[in-house]
Coordinates of all heavy atoms in Angstrom, one line a residue:
H1 N 0.9 -1.2 0.0 CA 0.0 0.0 0.0 C 0.9 1.2 0.0 O 0.7 2.2 -0.7 CB -0.9 0.1 1.2 CG -1.9 1.1 1.2 ND1 -3.2 0.9 0.7 CD2 -1.7 2.5 1.6 CE1 -3.8 2.2 0.8 NE2 -3.0 3.1 1.4
A2 N 1.9 1.2 0.8 CA 2.8 2.4 1.0 C 3.6 2.6 -0.3 O 3.8 3.6 -0.9 CB 3.8 2.2 2.2
L3 N 4.1 1.4 -0.8 CA 4.8 1.5 -2.1 C 4.0 2.0 -3.4 O 4.5 2.6 -4.1 CB 5.5 0.1 -2.4 CG 6.7 0.0 -3.4 CD1 7.9 0.7 -2.8 CD2 7.1 -1.3 -3.7
G4 N 2.7 1.5 -3.3 CA 2.0 2.0 -4.3 C 1.7 3.5 -4.3 O 1.6 4.2 -5.4
E5 N 1.7 4.0 -3.1 CA 1.5 5.4 -2.9 C 2.7 6.2 -3.4 O 2.7 7.3 -4.0 CB 1.2 5.8 -1.4 CG -0.3 5.3 -1.0 CD -1.3 6.0 -1.9 OE1 -1.3 7.1 -2.1 OE2 -2.2 5.2 -2.3
K6 N 3.9 5.5 -3.1 CA 5.2 6.1 -3.5 C 5.3 6.1 -5.1 O 5.6 7.1 -5.8 CB 6.4 5.2 -3.1 CG 7.7 5.6 -3.5 CD 8.0 7.0 -2.9 CE 9.5 7.4 -3.4 NZ 9.9 8.7 -2.8
A7 N 4.7 5.0 -5.7 CA 4.6 5.0 -7.2 C 3.8 6.2 -7.7 O 4.3 6.9 -8.7 CB 4.2 3.7 -7.6
R8 N 2.7 6.3 -7.1 CA 1.8 7.4 -7.5 C 2.5 8.8 -7.4 O 2.3 9.8 -8.1 CB 0.5 7.4 -6.8 CG -0.4 6.2 -7.1 CD -1.1 6.4 -8.5 NE -1.9 5.5 -8.8 CZ -3.2 5.3 -8.6 NH1 -3.8 6.1 -7.8 NH2 -3.9 4.3 -9.1
S9 N 3.2 9.0 -6.2 CA 3.9 10.2 -6.0 C 5.0 10.5 -7.0 O 5.2 11.7 -7.2 CB 4.4 10.3 -4.5 OG 5.7 9.5 -4.5
L10 N 5.5 9.5 -7.7 CA 6.5 9.6 -8.6 C 5.9 9.8 -10.1 O 6.6 9.9 -11.1 CB 7.4 8.5 -8.6 CG 8.4 8.4 -7.4 CD1 9.0 7.0 -7.4 CD2 9.5 9.5 -7.4
G11 N 4.6 9.7 -10.1 CA 4.0 9.9 -11.4 C 3.6 8.7 -12.3 O 3.1 8.6 -13.2
M12 N 3.8 7.5 -11.5 CA 3.4 6.2 -12.0 C 2.0 5.7 -11.6 O 1.4 6.4 -10.8 CB 4.5 5.2 -11.7 CG 5.9 5.6 -12.1 SD 7.2 4.2 -11.9 CE 7.5 4.5 -10.2
E13 N 1.5 4.6 -12.3 CA 0.2 4.1 -11.9 C 0.2 3.4 -10.6 O -0.7 3.4 -9.8 CB -0.5 3.3 -13.0 CG -0.7 4.1 -14.3 CD -1.8 5.0 -14.1 OE1 -2.7 4.8 -13.3 OE2 -1.7 6.2 -14.8
G14 N 1.3 2.5 -10.4 CA 1.3 1.7 -9.3 C 2.2 0.5 -9.3 O 3.0 0.4 -10.2
I15 N 2.0 -0.5 -8.4 CA 2.7 -1.6 -8.3 C 1.8 -2.9 -8.7 O 0.7 -3.0 -8.4 CB 3.1 -2.0 -6.7 CG1 3.8 -0.7 -6.2 CG2 3.8 -3.2 -6.7 CD1 5.2 -0.5 -6.9
A16 N 2.4 -3.7 -9.5 CA 1.7 -5.0 -10.0 C 2.4 -6.3 -9.4 O 3.6 -6.5 -9.6 CB 1.8 -5.1 -11.5
L17 N 1.7 -6.8 -8.4 CA 2.2 -7.9 -7.8 C 2.1 -9.2 -8.7 O 1.0 -9.5 -9.3 CB 1.4 -8.3 -6.4 CG 1.5 -7.2 -5.5 CD1 0.6 -7.7 -4.2 CD2 2.9 -7.0 -5.0
E18 N 3.3 -10.0 -8.8 CA 3.3 -11.1 -9.7 C 2.9 -12.3 -9.1 O 3.3 -12.8 -7.9 CB 4.8 -11.1 -10.2 CG 5.1 -12.2 -11.2 CD 6.6 -12.1 -11.7 OE1 7.4 -11.2 -11.3 OE2 7.0 -13.1 -12.6
N19 N 2.3 -13.2 -9.8 CA 2.0 -14.6 -9.6 C 3.3 -15.3 -9.6 O 4.1 -15.2 -10.5 CB 0.9 -15.2 -10.4 CG 1.4 -15.3 -11.8 OD1 1.8 -14.4 -12.4 ND2 1.2 -16.5 -12.4
M20 N 3.5 -16.2 -8.6 CA 4.8 -16.9 -8.6 C 4.7 -18.4 -8.9 O 3.7 -18.9 -9.2 CB 5.3 -16.8 -7.2 CG 5.5 -15.3 -6.6 SD 6.5 -14.3 -7.8 CE 8.0 -15.2 -7.9
A21 N 6.0 -18.9 -9.1 CA 6.0 -20.4 -9.6 C 5.7 -21.2 -8.5 O 6.5 -21.1 -7.5 CB 7.4 -20.6 -10.2
Y22 N 4.7 -22.0 -8.5 CA 4.3 -22.8 -7.4 C 5.1 -24.2 -7.2 O 5.2 -24.9 -8.2 CB 2.8 -23.2 -7.5 CG 2.3 -23.9 -6.2 CD1 2.3 -23.3 -5.0 CD2 1.9 -25.2 -6.4 CE1 1.8 -24.1 -3.8 CE2 1.4 -25.9 -5.2 CZ 1.4 -25.3 -4.0 OH 0.9 -26.0 -2.9
L23 N 5.8 -24.3 -6.2 CA 6.7 -25.5 -6.1 C 6.3 -26.2 -4.8 O 7.1 -26.9 -4.3 CB 8.2 -25.0 -5.8 CG 8.7 -24.2 -7.2 CD1 10.1 -23.8 -7.0 CD2 8.7 -25.2 -8.3
G24 N 5.1 -26.2 -4.3 CA 4.6 -26.8 -3.2 C 4.6 -25.9 -1.9 O 5.3 -24.9 -1.9
P25 N 3.8 -26.3 -1.0 CA 3.8 -25.4 0.3 C 5.0 -25.3 1.1 O 5.2 -24.2 1.7 CB 2.6 -26.1 1.0 CG 2.8 -27.6 0.6 CD 3.1 -27.5 -0.8
Y26 N 5.9 -26.2 1.0 CA 7.3 -26.1 1.5 C 8.4 -26.6 0.7 O 8.7 -27.6 0.8 CB 7.3 -26.9 2.9 CG 6.3 -26.3 3.9 CD1 5.0 -26.9 4.1 CD2 6.6 -25.1 4.8 CE1 4.1 -26.2 5.0 CE2 5.8 -24.6 5.6 CZ 4.4 -25.2 5.8 OH 3.6 -24.6 6.6

């Protein structure tokens, strides 16, 4: 949330969180 606000303050749209490669719960 804070980093998204930082992105907006710099003139960008925001942060896009990436889906990760699933390798099992542990």
Side-chain angles (χ1 to χ4, degrees):
H1 185 98
L3 199 63
E5 292 305 307
K6 177 65 175 177
R8 288 283 176 95
S9 75
L10 290 168
M12 298 184 285
E13 294 292 328
I15 304 297
L17 296 181
E18 183 175 354
N19 65 309
M20 301 309 300
Y22 185 64
L23 298 175
Y26 294 96

